[in-house]
PDB file of all heavy atoms in Angstrom:
ATOM      1  N   TYR A 168       8.068  36.371  56.046  1.00 57.00           N
ATOM      2  CA  TYR A 168       8.455  35.015  56.635  1.00 57.00           C
ATOM      3  C   TYR A 168       9.826  35.042  57.084  1.00 57.00           C
ATOM      4  O   TYR A 168      10.145  34.097  57.912  1.00 57.00           O
ATOM      5  CB  TYR A 168       8.384  34.131  55.448  1.00 57.00           C
ATOM      6  CG  TYR A 168       7.159  33.354  55.277  1.00 57.00           C
ATOM      7  CD1 TYR A 168       5.831  33.967  55.423  1.00 57.00           C
ATOM      8  CD2 TYR A 168       7.144  31.972  55.060  1.00 57.00           C
ATOM      9  CE1 TYR A 168       4.761  33.159  55.342  1.00 57.00           C
ATOM     10  CE2 TYR A 168       5.953  31.222  54.909  1.00 57.00           C
ATOM     11  CZ  TYR A 168       4.740  31.905  55.095  1.00 57.00           C
ATOM     12  OH  TYR A 168       3.599  31.223  54.893  1.00 57.00           O
ATOM     13  N   SER A 174       4.252  31.941  58.624  1.00 62.00           N
ATOM     14  CA  SER A 174       4.181  33.256  58.600  1.00 62.00           C
ATOM     15  C   SER A 174       4.242  33.988  59.827  1.00 62.00           C
ATOM     16  O   SER A 174       3.840  33.290  60.897  1.00 62.00           O
ATOM     17  CB  SER A 174       2.763  33.756  57.975  1.00 62.00           C
ATOM     18  OG  SER A 174       2.763  35.132  57.782  1.00 62.00           O
ATOM     19  N   GLU A 197       0.042  37.256  43.259  1.00 98.00           N
ATOM     20  CA  GLU A 197       0.830  36.744  44.140  1.00 98.00           C
ATOM     21  C   GLU A 197       1.095  35.268  43.968  1.00 98.00           C
ATOM     22  O   GLU A 197       0.277  34.543  43.143  1.00 98.00           O
ATOM     23  CB  GLU A 197      -0.014  36.978  45.528  1.00 98.00           C
ATOM     24  CG  GLU A 197       0.435  36.224  46.776  1.00 98.00           C
ATOM     25  CD  GLU A 197       2.014  36.628  47.250  1.00 98.00           C
ATOM     26  OE1 GLU A 197       2.800  36.738  46.650  1.00 98.00           O
ATOM     27  OE2 GLU A 197       1.956  37.061  48.445  1.00 98.00           O
ATOM     28  N   ASP A 198       2.050  34.727  44.492  1.00 98.00           N
ATOM     29  CA  ASP A 198       2.497  33.261  44.223  1.00 98.00           C
ATOM     30  C   ASP A 198       1.547  32.377  45.053  1.00 98.00           C
ATOM     31  O   ASP A 198       0.928  31.404  44.417  1.00 98.00           O
ATOM     32  CB  ASP A 198       3.937  32.963  44.514  1.00 98.00           C
ATOM     33  CG  ASP A 198       4.271  33.374  45.969  1.00 98.00           C
ATOM     34  OD1 ASP A 198       3.537  33.909  46.766  1.00 98.00           O
ATOM     35  OD2 ASP A 198       5.487  33.206  46.459  1.00 98.00           O
ATOM     36  N   ILE A 199       1.290  32.690  46.354  1.00 97.00           N
ATOM     37  CA  ILE A 199       0.551  31.651  47.055  1.00 97.00           C
ATOM     38  C   ILE A 199      -0.113  32.396  48.259  1.00 97.00           C
ATOM     39  O   ILE A 199       0.456  33.365  48.897  1.00 97.00           O
ATOM     40  CB  ILE A 199       1.395  30.470  47.612  1.00 97.00           C
ATOM     41  CG1 ILE A 199       0.580  29.380  48.285  1.00 97.00           C
ATOM     42  CG2 ILE A 199       2.586  30.974  48.435  1.00 97.00           C
ATOM     43  CD1 ILE A 199       1.443  28.108  48.469  1.00 97.00           C
ATOM     44  N   ILE A 200      -1.373  31.909  48.573  1.00 96.00           N
ATOM     45  CA  ILE A 200      -1.920  32.446  49.846  1.00 96.00           C
ATOM     46  C   ILE A 200      -2.038  31.399  50.841  1.00 96.00           C
ATOM     47  O   ILE A 200      -2.485  30.244  50.638  1.00 96.00           O
ATOM     48  CB  ILE A 200      -3.517  32.898  49.458  1.00 96.00           C
ATOM     49  CG1 ILE A 200      -3.587  33.659  48.244  1.00 96.00           C
ATOM     50  CG2 ILE A 200      -4.041  33.585  50.770  1.00 96.00           C
ATOM     51  CD1 ILE A 200      -5.082  34.208  48.024  1.00 96.00           C
ATOM     52  N   ASP A 201      -1.346  31.676  51.950  1.00 94.00           N
ATOM     53  CA  ASP A 201      -1.204  30.669  52.965  1.00 94.00           C
ATOM     54  C   ASP A 201      -2.034  31.206  54.240  1.00 94.00           C
ATOM     55  O   ASP A 201      -3.225  30.941  54.271  1.00 94.00           O
ATOM     56  CB  ASP A 201       0.259  30.649  53.299  1.00 94.00           C
ATOM     57  CG  ASP A 201       0.696  29.488  54.263  1.00 94.00           C
ATOM     58  OD1 ASP A 201       0.124  28.390  54.032  1.00 94.00           O
ATOM     59  OD2 ASP A 201       1.356  29.773  55.251  1.00 94.00           O
ATOM     60  N   SER A 202      -1.483  31.799  55.146  1.00 93.00           N
ATOM     61  CA  SER A 202      -2.311  32.372  56.229  1.00 93.00           C
ATOM     62  C   SER A 202      -3.254  33.376  55.872  1.00 93.00           C
ATOM     63  O   SER A 202      -4.221  33.641  56.437  1.00 93.00           O
ATOM     64  CB  SER A 202      -1.417  32.907  57.470  1.00 93.00           C
ATOM     65  OG  SER A 202      -0.759  34.121  56.888  1.00 93.00           O
ATOM     66  N   GLY A 203      -2.899  34.200  54.768  1.00 94.00           N
ATOM     67  CA  GLY A 203      -3.619  35.187  54.197  1.00 94.00           C
ATOM     68  C   GLY A 203      -3.227  36.699  54.931  1.00 94.00           C
ATOM     69  O   GLY A 203      -3.802  37.676  54.385  1.00 94.00           O
ATOM     70  N   PHE A 204      -2.290  36.593  55.743  1.00 92.00           N
ATOM     71  CA  PHE A 204      -1.852  37.802  56.382  1.00 92.00           C
ATOM     72  C   PHE A 204      -1.275  38.830  55.301  1.00 92.00           C
ATOM     73  O   PHE A 204      -1.759  40.046  55.417  1.00 92.00           O
ATOM     74  CB  PHE A 204      -0.683  37.643  57.442  1.00 92.00           C
ATOM     75  CG  PHE A 204      -1.110  36.981  58.788  1.00 92.00           C
ATOM     76  CD1 PHE A 204      -0.566  35.933  59.222  1.00 92.00           C
ATOM     77  CD2 PHE A 204      -2.165  37.682  59.417  1.00 92.00           C
ATOM     78  CE1 PHE A 204      -0.990  35.374  60.537  1.00 92.00           C
ATOM     79  CE2 PHE A 204      -2.669  37.213  60.602  1.00 92.00           C
ATOM     80  CZ  PHE A 204      -1.971  36.039  61.137  1.00 92.00           C
ATOM     81  N   THR A 205      -0.412  38.412  54.499  1.00 93.00           N
ATOM     82  CA  THR A 205       0.145  39.193  53.501  1.00 93.00           C
ATOM     83  C   THR A 205      -0.830  40.015  52.627  1.00 93.00           C
ATOM     84  O   THR A 205      -0.797  41.318  52.579  1.00 93.00           O
ATOM     85  CB  THR A 205       1.222  38.474  52.640  1.00 93.00           C
ATOM     86  OG1 THR A 205       1.897  37.676  53.379  1.00 93.00           O
ATOM     87  CG2 THR A 205       1.971  39.384  51.717  1.00 93.00           C
ATOM     88  N   LYS A 229      -3.823  27.872  49.612  1.00 95.00           N
ATOM     89  CA  LYS A 229      -3.947  26.771  50.610  1.00 95.00           C
ATOM     90  C   LYS A 229      -5.018  27.247  51.547  1.00 95.00           C
ATOM     91  O   LYS A 229      -4.758  27.699  52.722  1.00 95.00           O
ATOM     92  CB  LYS A 229      -2.603  26.823  51.392  1.00 95.00           C
ATOM     93  CG  LYS A 229      -1.364  26.045  50.778  1.00 95.00           C
ATOM     94  CD  LYS A 229      -0.228  26.000  51.843  1.00 95.00           C
ATOM     95  CE  LYS A 229       1.083  25.642  51.245  1.00 95.00           C
ATOM     96  NZ  LYS A 229       2.181  26.003  52.161  1.00 95.00           N
ATOM     97  N   ALA A 251       1.240  21.529  52.331  1.00 93.00           N
ATOM     98  CA  ALA A 251       2.787  21.057  52.329  1.00 93.00           C
ATOM     99  C   ALA A 251       3.422  22.164  51.802  1.00 93.00           C
ATOM    100  O   ALA A 251       2.935  23.146  51.232  1.00 93.00           O
ATOM    101  CB  ALA A 251       2.819  19.871  51.252  1.00 93.00           C
ATOM    102  N   PHE A 252       4.742  22.236  52.076  1.00 94.00           N
ATOM    103  CA  PHE A 252       5.651  23.421  51.724  1.00 94.00           C
ATOM    104  C   PHE A 252       6.080  23.144  50.297  1.00 94.00           C
ATOM    105  O   PHE A 252       6.703  22.091  49.993  1.00 94.00           O
ATOM    106  CB  PHE A 252       6.805  23.445  52.592  1.00 94.00           C
ATOM    107  CG  PHE A 252       7.325  24.946  52.421  1.00 94.00           C
ATOM    108  CD1 PHE A 252       6.637  26.108  53.099  1.00 94.00           C
ATOM    109  CD2 PHE A 252       8.546  25.229  51.685  1.00 94.00           C
ATOM    110  CE1 PHE A 252       7.077  27.458  52.798  1.00 94.00           C
ATOM    111  CE2 PHE A 252       8.942  26.502  51.477  1.00 94.00           C
ATOM    112  CZ  PHE A 252       8.313  27.617  52.086  1.00 94.00           C
ATOM    113  N   VAL A 253       5.648  23.930  49.385  1.00 97.00           N
ATOM    114  CA  VAL A 253       5.938  23.848  47.948  1.00 97.00           C
ATOM    115  C   VAL A 253       7.057  24.825  47.411  1.00 97.00           C
ATOM    116  O   VAL A 253       7.008  25.959  48.043  1.00 97.00           O
ATOM    117  CB  VAL A 253       4.608  23.823  47.090  1.00 97.00           C
ATOM    118  CG1 VAL A 253       3.823  22.665  47.430  1.00 97.00           C
ATOM    119  CG2 VAL A 253       3.897  25.210  47.150  1.00 97.00           C
ATOM    120  N   LEU A 258       8.549  30.119  43.656  1.00 98.00           N
ATOM    121  CA  LEU A 258       8.481  29.988  45.092  1.00 98.00           C
ATOM    122  C   LEU A 258       9.745  29.472  45.662  1.00 98.00           C
ATOM    123  O   LEU A 258      10.391  28.399  45.026  1.00 98.00           O
ATOM    124  CB  LEU A 258       7.257  28.963  45.410  1.00 98.00           C
ATOM    125  CG  LEU A 258       5.947  29.545  45.226  1.00 98.00           C
ATOM    126  CD1 LEU A 258       5.239  28.822  44.030  1.00 98.00           C
ATOM    127  CD2 LEU A 258       5.060  29.414  46.457  1.00 98.00           C
ATOM    128  N   ASP A 259      10.102  29.958  46.865  1.00 96.00           N
ATOM    129  CA  ASP A 259      11.409  29.620  47.400  1.00 96.00           C
ATOM    130  C   ASP A 259      11.256  28.966  48.698  1.00 96.00           C
ATOM    131  O   ASP A 259      10.211  28.963  49.356  1.00 96.00           O
ATOM    132  CB  ASP A 259      12.208  30.878  47.500  1.00 96.00           C
ATOM    133  CG  ASP A 259      11.738  31.711  48.758  1.00 96.00           C
ATOM    134  OD1 ASP A 259      10.592  31.964  48.790  1.00 96.00           O
ATOM    135  OD2 ASP A 259      12.520  32.034  49.632  1.00 96.00           O
TER     136      ASP A 259
HETATM  137  P1  IMP B 344       0.645  34.284  54.015  1.00 87.38           P
HETATM  138  O1  IMP B 344       0.874  35.769  54.346  1.00 87.38           O
HETATM  139  O2  IMP B 344       0.890  33.481  55.139  1.00 87.38           O
HETATM  140  O3  IMP B 344      -0.575  34.124  53.259  1.00 87.38           O
HETATM  141  O4  IMP B 344       1.876  33.927  53.095  1.00 87.38           O
HETATM  142  C1  IMP B 344       2.164  34.309  51.838  1.00 87.38           C
HETATM  143  C2  IMP B 344       3.584  34.209  51.439  1.00 87.38           C
HETATM  144  O5  IMP B 344       4.186  33.140  52.244  1.00 87.38           O
HETATM  145  C3  IMP B 344       3.813  33.836  49.974  1.00 87.38           C
HETATM  146  O6  IMP B 344       3.893  34.941  49.285  1.00 87.38           O
HETATM  147  C4  IMP B 344       5.012  32.979  50.062  1.00 87.38           C
HETATM  148  O7  IMP B 344       6.169  33.852  49.720  1.00 87.38           O
HETATM  149  C5  IMP B 344       5.141  32.397  51.469  1.00 87.38           C
HETATM  150  N1  IMP B 344       4.678  31.030  51.389  1.00 87.38           N
HETATM  151  C6  IMP B 344       3.601  30.436  51.839  1.00 87.38           C
HETATM  152  N2  IMP B 344       3.462  29.088  51.772  1.00 87.38           N
HETATM  153  C7  IMP B 344       4.571  28.865  50.925  1.00 87.38           C
HETATM  154  C8  IMP B 344       4.942  27.415  50.330  1.00 87.38           C
HETATM  155  O8  IMP B 344       4.383  26.584  50.454  1.00 87.38           O
HETATM  156  N3  IMP B 344       6.089  27.629  49.669  1.00 87.38           N
HETATM  157  C9  IMP B 344       6.914  28.736  49.529  1.00 87.38           C
HETATM  158  N4  IMP B 344       6.411  29.925  49.935  1.00 87.38           N
HETATM  159  C10 IMP B 344       5.333  29.972  50.759  1.00 87.38           C
END
Side-chain angles (χ1 to χ4, degrees):
Y168 266 45
S174 185
E197 172 66 304
D198 52 1
I199 185 167
I200 313 180
D201 188 47
S202 69
F204 283 129
T205 308
K229 278 187 200 168
F252 199 77
V253 298
L258 290 113
D259 73 308

